[in-house]
Amino acid sequence: MRFIHLNENFITFKEQFIKMKIVVNNLQELEVAAQQILSDFPNDRIFLLYGNMGAGKTTLVSSFCRALGVTDNTSSPTFSIVNEYNSPHGPVYHFDFYRLKHEEEALDMGYEEYFYTDAYCFVEWPEKIPNLLPEESRRITLDVSPADNRRTIVIK
């Protein structure tokens, strides 16, 4: 696993907003990656996870939950939209907006009651609600290399 912290003196225009880049060789290394991300961004509470189906978003959220001390079994809230877990840090919310057809559905479920607290919120498929995302959200993009199944995680 490689952690790449970008030196702001040596970055390209395209990379100027990247805060961290992590390359993981397998899904098990996501545990360490999740701990590192939480450690490097201790004041952030809303994490938006972008990536194709099967990129490892749900697995990364499970790793975040374990790093936060969640002992419950974690799973994708594909049909329930949101799962709540208890942790020593307070509630942890895991959203999966994949099945939403319109942003209004997130409004109807009261998303703001979750986002505008001090709770950790991990959001899969945030591109389904682009106009509702808080500005202070941390963007995480997962890309999978088809050649060797490595994941590149870019944090902005």
Side-chain angles (χ1 to χ4, degrees):
M1 178 175 350
R2 290 184 327 198
F3 293 99
I4 304 165
H5 296 271
L6 297 176
N7 179 333
E8 299 201 8
N9 296 322
F10 301 100
I11 57 176
T12 66
F13 178 75
K14 184 178 177 183
E15 295 174 321
Q16 73 179 341
F17 299 107
I18 296 175
K19 301 294 182 190
M20 175 189 273
K21 186 175 181 179
I22 303 170
V23 178
V24 295
N25 297 307
N26 54 57
L27 290 176
Q28 292 74 27
E29 289 183 353
L30 286 177
E31 297 290 323
V32 176
Q35 291 172 356
Q36 187 66 45
I37 293 167
L38 291 173
S39 174
D40 282 14
F41 303 101
N43 298 319
D44 291 347
R45 292 296 179 266
I46 300 174
F47 295 86
L48 311 175
L49 288 88
Y50 294 86
N52 293 330
M53 188 76 70
K57 296 181 298 294
T58 300
T59 304
L60 182 57
V61 171
S62 294
S63 297
F64 280 131
C65 287
R66 282 189 291 280
L68 291 169
V70 171
T71 57
D72 302 327
N73 288 327
T74 58
S75 62
S76 177
T78 302
F79 294 101
S80 62
I81 310 283
V82 62
N83 286 345
E84 179 179 350
Y85 306 110
N86 295 313
S87 85
H89 303 276
V92 175
Y93 299 107
H94 177 190
F95 297 86
D96 185 336
F97 290 125
Y98 180 74
R99 297 207 179 277
L100 294 190
K101 303 285 187 238
H102 307 284
E103 284 183 324
E104 292 78 27
E105 294 174 79
L107 288 168
D108 292 343
M109 64 157 294
Y111 85 96
E112 60 275 316
E113 292 176 32
Y114 302 97
F115 283 9
Y116 296 100
T117 65
D118 197 34
Y120 280 95
C121 294
F122 299 99
V123 182
E124 295 186 52
W125 302 101
E127 55 269 42
K128 295 284 194 159
I129 59 163
N131 298 309
L132 304 178
L133 300 171
E135 286 184 30
E136 65 276 2
S137 303
R138 182 67 55 197
R139 293 177 55 105
I140 299 174
T141 304
L142 290 92
D143 286 311
V144 180
S145 167
D148 54 15
N149 215 27
R150 277 193 216 174
R151 271 122 178 112
T152 301
I153 303 169
V154 174
I155 299 99
K156 295 181 182 179

